[in-house]
Amino acid sequence: MGNLVGSWRFKEPSTIEECDSTWGSDSESDEPAAEDDSGISDSVSPAESERAAGHAGDSTPQLTDSPESVPKMKRSFYAARDLYKYRHSYPNFRRSRQPNEYRNLRFYLNKIPLVPDGIYIEEILSKWRGDYDKLEHNHTYIQWLFPLREQGLNFYAHELTQDEIKEFQSTREAKRRFLAAYSLMLDFYGVKLLDKSGNVARAPNWQERFQHLNESHHNYLRITRILKSLGELGYEAFKAPLVRFFLEESLCHGTLSNMQHSILEYFVYTIRLPATRRRLLRYARQHYRPAHAFLWGPPTKKRGGGAGAGGSVGAGSSGIRAPAPTPEQQRRGMESTIFTPAGSGNIVSSHNATMCHELAEGGLKGCTGLGPNMGGALMMVGARAERNEFNEMIPL
């Protein structure tokens, strides 16, 4: 029994709609869209998400109000799943068998240096502020300043543990230095921390720093990490003011236009409270241009009677519903089947074949009753998807 319980794993979501619960409990989710949403695309396939999954390739296209002139953008499934896992405290996380050395806490207590550079936290806080070249080009400190319960690119940095998080949150010296590190990075981005509630504003050097940030896409990955770390170490309330600030700068003032997609696809979804995400997304939707290209909800509600009436379309979907099939179309659909290789004995309808292809990408969850040939084919599809995910989703 113990082995069965120990081997149980949480079923991970396999679609963007399953990853995104933002509008699930929203009483206003059926509010009419500001403009026609027919240009909005649905979720992304693993092959297509190679372009959309990472921040580094982000660039906001020059959009106009004409739907025909707007390139279709899609949400990234891998980004949605990564942030789903974060918000749900990594449901399939396995406790390390290595002894808990509290290296992140000891680093913040100035007892050990970061590896591999051998620099102590006090040196960073006292000497690096305003040294923007060093903050830009050194890529080993960010994992130590903002630790997470997931591995980053610096494999010398250690992942946080639950016990270490509790100890960190109860250690005043560590928390003081953590906020100082947050302030240091905000200054690097042209932002200043105003108070203990996390409110922010433009720093005196904002014009120079915003110009750099607008062209330095790898810093969007860093900001995602910073936001996640704030939530892990007890500063969840600090996220919304920063995200709201970036939304205003990018959508209203145009000072960070290249950051728009990263804010909406990543920054907003680091926030754990759905009501807070909804407020931010409503604000973004109000100012996003063109309005019909807004991908992040709220979903439109189905109208009319019949089976399924009253259901809602998932966030990011187009809102277009196909007309009811004619009897002739129904007859042809019943005849349309896909056969597996000879001798397998499996017959799968075209609809189920598509569904199982998607399930294969999610790890064969829910696909029962498949023969060995079909199961092997799906496993191969799943393996390719996992390789793509590994290459795309390693965080900074």
Side-chain angles (χ1 to χ4, degrees):
M1 185 65 180
N3 290 336
L4 289 175
V5 173
S7 62
W8 181 86
R9 287 177 63 82
F10 179 82
K11 182 180 178 181
E12 294 182 354
S14 57
T15 66
I16 289 177
E17 288 75 17
E18 291 177 3
C19 295
D20 183 2
S21 62
T22 303
W23 304 101
S25 59
D26 182 24
S27 60
E28 301 177 28
S29 62
D30 58 343
E31 64 182 7
E35 295 187 20
D36 179 22
D37 287 334
S38 61
I40 296 178
S41 301
D42 206 356
S43 58
V44 144
S45 69
E48 293 170 326
S49 65
E50 182 176 356
R51 297 187 301 272
H55 296 285
D58 277 352
S59 60
T60 303
Q62 297 299 316
L63 301 178
T64 69
D65 289 330
S66 171
E68 292 79 9
S69 65
V70 178
K72 287 187 177 181
M73 295 190 298
K74 298 182 180 181
R75 293 190 60 185
S76 164
F77 167 67
Y78 291 132
R81 184 172 65 176
D82 171 72
L83 292 163
Y84 171 91
K85 291 178 182 179
Y86 165 76
R87 293 195 308 271
H88 291 78
S89 299
Y90 306 95
N92 286 331
F93 177 79
R94 292 184 179 181
R95 184 182 294 269
S96 174
R97 296 183 179 181
Q98 300 296 324
N100 195 338
E101 299 178 350
Y102 289 13
R103 286 182 174 248
N104 297 292
L105 177 58
R106 289 163 61 201
F107 168 71
Y108 263 102
L109 293 177
N110 211 43
K111 293 183 177 179
I112 62 172
L114 69 82
V115 182
D117 295 344
I119 303 170
Y120 285 84
I121 181 65
E122 274 300 321
E123 180 180 349
I124 294 175
L125 297 179
S126 62
K127 297 182 179 180
W128 286 31
R129 190 178 188 91
D131 192 342
Y132 300 139
D133 284 340
K134 183 173 290 185
L135 290 169
E136 172 66 24
H137 298 295
N138 186 305
H139 297 286
T140 60
Y141 70 91
I142 197 73
Q143 295 85 7
W144 287 88
L145 286 189
F146 301 98
L148 299 175
R149 282 189 287 163
E150 56 188 74
Q151 182 63 58
L153 292 180
N154 181 354
F155 291 97
Y156 293 104
H158 286 244
E159 300 172 23
L160 279 171
T161 65
Q162 288 279 29
D163 293 338
E164 187 176 22
I165 289 172
K166 293 177 182 177
E167 193 68 24
F168 197 108
Q169 292 180 1
S170 63
T171 306
R172 181 176 298 180
E173 182 181 358
K175 292 170 65 178
R176 176 183 63 79
R177 289 195 175 108
F178 180 75
L179 287 182
Y182 179 53
S183 176
L184 174 128
M185 292 305 297
L186 289 181
D187 176 74
F188 173 56
Y189 298 133
V191 184
K192 64 179 178 179
L193 183 62
L194 296 178
D195 52 40
K196 294 182 179 180
S197 298
N199 293 309
V200 295
R202 288 175 174 177
N205 62 345
W206 71 271
Q207 288 181 306
E208 171 200 346
R209 301 314 305 159
F210 279 18
Q211 182 178 357
H212 173 79
L213 184 57
N214 200 42
E215 300 169 355
S216 179
H217 298 145
H218 78 96
N219 275 295
Y220 306 164
L221 284 165
R222 289 177 167 181
I223 293 171
T224 301
R225 184 181 188 94
I226 290 169
L227 289 165
K228 286 182 175 181
S229 191
L230 285 169
E232 295 284 34
L233 296 176
Y235 294 96
E236 179 72 23
F238 279 46
K239 295 179 184 178
L242 183 62
V243 176
R244 172 65 165 72
F245 173 82
F246 282 142
L247 282 172
E248 182 178 351
E249 291 292 345
S250 65
L251 295 176
C252 300
H253 304 306
T255 52
L256 295 170
S257 57
N258 289 338
M259 189 188 274
Q260 283 185 20
H261 192 77
S262 288
I263 301 170
L264 291 164
E265 189 80 343
Y266 293 82
F267 300 177
V268 168
Y269 289 95
T270 65
I271 296 172
R272 291 190 168 107
L273 191 63
T276 305
R277 296 199 301 272
R278 289 197 294 270
R279 284 197 299 270
L280 291 168
L281 290 174
R282 285 197 183 99
Y283 173 81
R285 187 168 176 260
Q286 180 183 355
H287 298 283
Y288 193 90
R289 294 295 180 271
H292 70 267
F294 190 76
L295 302 176
W296 299 272
T300 56
K301 194 171 184 178
K302 288 186 179 181
R303 308 292 182 184
S312 61
V313 181
S317 65
S318 65
I320 298 177
R321 291 175 290 279
T326 64
E328 177 65 18
Q329 289 173 327
Q330 289 179 337
R331 183 184 65 79
R332 291 179 180 178
M334 293 176 63
E335 295 174 354
S336 174
T337 57
I338 297 178
F339 292 84
T340 59
S344 68
N346 289 319
I347 301 176
V348 184
S349 69
S350 56
H351 172 269
N352 287 338
T354 302
M355 180 183 69
C356 286
H357 176 77
E358 294 172 351
L359 290 169
E361 295 169 352
L364 298 177
K365 296 179 179 66
C367 257
T368 57
L370 295 176
N373 292 332
M374 177 62 78
L378 293 178
M379 289 176 68
M380 291 174 65
V381 173
R384 287 196 296 270
E386 289 300 318
R387 285 196 297 272
N388 289 338
E389 175 189 358
F390 179 79
N391 291 332
E392 295 171 1
M393 286 307 301
I394 298 178
L396 273 181

